[in-house]
Amino acid sequence: MGKPKSHIMGAMIEANNISRSNITCNNFNHSNMYKRSYGFSLPITPSDSYTSNVQPIGSKNCKLETFSWATVPRGWDVFRLLPPPPDNLNRGFWYDVSLQVLKITCFCVLFILTLLSAIISKATFLLMTSAIGTIKMNLTICNDKIPESPINQVEILPMHVVKWIWAVYISLCIPELQCFIGSIHRAFFRNVKKPTFAQFIIVFVVETLNAIGVSILAFKILPNLDAITGAMLTNFACFVPSILLLLSRRPNRLAILLMAIDTLCIIVQIIALWTIPNLNASLQKFKFILPFCLILISLGWWQNFVHIESALAPIRALARFAVTLNERRSKTYVLISIWKCIVYLLMVFLVLTNNLTSKDLFENDPFGEKLQTIIARNLNQTQINKFYERMKIEIAKNGQLMQ
């Protein structure tokens, strides 16, 4: 046979599959093929990035070979990472038991840490509020400073109490500042809804009343109580949640039992609000303001105790309204959190006006060291003379040390 008059070469390239057909005969000249196929791209040769497959087709003298290449996926060029295959090994009984023990241990450790942190935070807060109540009081201390007198007293001036007032104020504002940072982050970097005017006003009123109640309790009531009574009062700030929880019960088998428990809780709250001031002499002057204060504090948790499946239609409507408020919480509390800090500061001036002035609050370095005057009482002339002699000796010693 002579040379073929024409040579046909086709190249078809797809996404990951490249195939080329090459016709060869006995007297075929490859150089002539490349010369006559001017304008076509050079044939694609297999490389290490592809896998090839050769399929010969044709007769003995003239055959058609089809080459196909498929891309081999590389480890660094994988679109997604699939999870490893499941481990079908049988771990055994003791392995499962150890996992359960570890889980229970973690629960116990977290519970103990949470309980201890709550106790420490409440004890620290009560310590600060108790220190506020000592303003303009004469406190008896140990007589190690003036041993000649059986009674040593110090007078607590406003400059000694200002640091505790600011400490309580800062402790109240820290949660609000954390809420502000989280809310403004979500408002800027997430697609959150904007509250309506009515929704904002309702949240504004409720949170303002809650801040007023907290301020009265922290700056007015707790400073005049001992720590044990103050800790007991903090357990009775659930009047509104207990009522809402009773009204939000869904009809089920345990509904009657749960409603009885809720009713008992409401009775306990009422007894605490109205009878404890009559039983404790230190609470007599807060007989009317204490229930009002605790009810205002309990308003802050109303959204957590309304259920959308309640048997009462008003409670269901209130629950749906709470859901809409929760969707708009971020942009709402950007302003509300700052406003509550302002309310706390205003209540400091309103509540503590009888004991200190604004000049005392804004003095320089309120957390610095302050001098205190120690008063020695019930001294006779002999004790006074001994005191003078001891002072002369100490002054002489200090003079020698200075030299």
Side-chain angles (χ1 to χ4, degrees):
M1 294 179 61
K3 294 183 180 180
K5 295 182 180 180
S6 63
H7 302 275
I8 301 174
M9 181 185 70
M12 182 176 63
I13 301 175
E14 296 181 356
N16 288 324
N17 187 12
I18 305 172
S19 61
R20 181 174 64 89
S21 298
N22 185 13
I23 302 175
T24 59
C25 296
N26 293 335
N27 299 323
F28 188 79
N29 190 351
H30 292 278
S31 61
N32 293 333
M33 182 192 72
Y34 291 122
K35 291 179 181 179
R36 298 180 64 179
S37 61
Y38 179 78
F40 292 93
S41 59
L42 293 177
I44 301 175
T45 58
S47 64
D48 57 351
S49 299
Y50 302 93
T51 58
S52 61
N53 185 16
V54 181
Q55 296 180 355
I57 302 174
S59 61
K60 181 178 180 181
N61 296 327
C62 183
K63 61 181 180 179
L64 175 65
E65 294 181 356
T66 302
F67 296 89
S68 62
W69 291 274
T71 305
V72 178
R74 298 292 182 179
W76 51 267
D77 195 20
V78 178
F79 180 72
R80 60 177 180 172
L81 295 177
L82 298 176
D87 189 2
N88 296 324
L89 297 178
N90 188 10
R91 298 294 186 180
F93 171 76
W94 292 109
Y95 176 79
D96 296 334
V97 171
S98 62
L99 288 181
Q100 297 296 327
V101 172
L102 182 61
K103 185 182 294 186
I104 294 174
T105 304
C106 292
F107 289 159
C108 294
V109 171
L110 291 176
F111 172 76
I112 293 173
L113 290 177
T114 304
L115 182 62
L116 289 178
S117 61
I119 293 173
I120 293 173
S121 63
K122 182 174 287 189
T124 305
F125 188 79
L126 292 174
L127 173 65
M128 294 186 292
T129 55
S130 299
I132 296 176
T134 60
I135 187 171
K136 294 183 179 180
M137 292 179 60
N138 292 325
L139 301 180
T140 302
I141 62 174
C142 298
N143 61 344
D144 57 338
K145 303 299 180 183
I146 306 178
E148 292 81 9
S149 172
I151 300 175
N152 291 352
Q153 290 183 343
V154 292
E155 183 181 3
I156 307 300
L157 301 176
M159 63 178 181
H160 302 136
V161 181
V162 169
K163 58 183 177 182
W164 297 110
I165 296 174
W166 285 116
V168 173
Y169 175 75
I170 292 172
S171 64
L172 293 177
C173 290
I174 286 176
E176 305 302 331
L177 294 178
Q178 292 177 346
C179 178
F180 171 76
I181 294 173
S183 298
I184 200 170
H185 175 267
R186 290 188 294 270
F188 278 124
F189 298 102
R190 295 184 184 178
N191 187 14
V192 293
K193 297 180 181 180
K194 185 185 298 184
T196 62
F197 181 75
Q199 292 171 346
F200 181 81
I201 290 298
I202 291 175
V203 176
F204 179 82
V205 172
V206 172
E207 293 296 338
T208 301
L209 294 176
N210 176 263
I212 292 173
V214 172
S215 301
I216 294 174
L217 181 67
F219 296 108
K220 185 67 177 179
I221 298 177
L222 291 180
N224 294 279
L225 302 177
D226 57 281
I228 297 176
T229 306
M232 180 182 62
L233 284 180
T234 57
N235 297 321
F236 300 108
C238 303
F239 183 72
V240 173
S242 60
I243 295 177
L244 292 177
L245 187 61
L246 175 63
L247 300 177
S248 299
R249 289 297 180 187
R250 293 169 289 179
N252 52 34
R253 296 179 180 178
L254 300 177
I256 297 177
L257 177 61
L258 295 177
M259 292 176 68
I261 296 175
D262 295 336
T263 305
L264 179 62
C265 293
I266 294 174
I267 294 173
V268 172
Q269 295 288 321
I270 294 174
I271 292 174
L273 293 177
W274 299 104
T275 61
I276 288 181
N278 296 325
L279 299 177
N280 194 330
S282 59
L283 289 174
Q284 284 290 334
K285 56 183 177 181
F286 306 118
K287 183 177 181 180
F288 298 102
I289 195 174
L290 179 61
F292 174 74
C293 170
L294 294 178
I295 290 174
L296 291 183
I297 293 174
S298 65
L299 286 175
W301 297 289
W302 72 271
Q303 297 184 48
N304 299 330
F305 294 91
V306 288
H307 203 279
I308 201 169
E309 296 182 2
S310 173
L312 301 177
I315 300 299
R316 292 197 299 269
L318 193 61
R320 288 191 292 269
F321 182 72
V323 172
T324 58
L325 290 180
N326 192 31
E327 295 173 352
R328 295 159 173 82
R329 179 180 297 273
S330 298
K331 290 188 177 180
T332 304
Y333 278 84
V334 168
L335 300 177
I336 295 298
S337 56
I338 300 299
W339 168 246
K340 291 182 71 174
C341 295
I342 297 174
V343 172
Y344 292 145
L345 184 61
L346 294 176
M347 292 302 297
V348 170
F349 293 105
L350 294 176
V351 172
L352 300 175
T353 51
N354 296 330
N355 296 325
L356 74 165
T357 62
S358 58
K359 183 179 179 180
D360 296 328
L361 282 174
F362 294 101
E363 67 175 1
N364 295 329
D365 193 14
F367 293 95
E369 294 183 356
K370 308 295 180 182
L371 295 177
Q372 284 186 331
T373 302
I374 301 175
I375 302 173
R377 299 187 181 277
N378 300 331
L379 287 173
N380 54 30
Q381 189 62 39
T382 304
Q383 293 172 336
I384 294 174
N385 294 333
K386 289 182 179 180
F387 174 75
Y388 284 148
E389 292 177 359
R390 185 169 61 86
M391 289 294 102
K392 291 179 181 179
I393 295 173
E394 290 184 0
I395 292 173
K397 290 181 179 179
N398 293 331
Q400 292 177 359
L401 292 176
M402 293 295 294
Q403 293 178 357

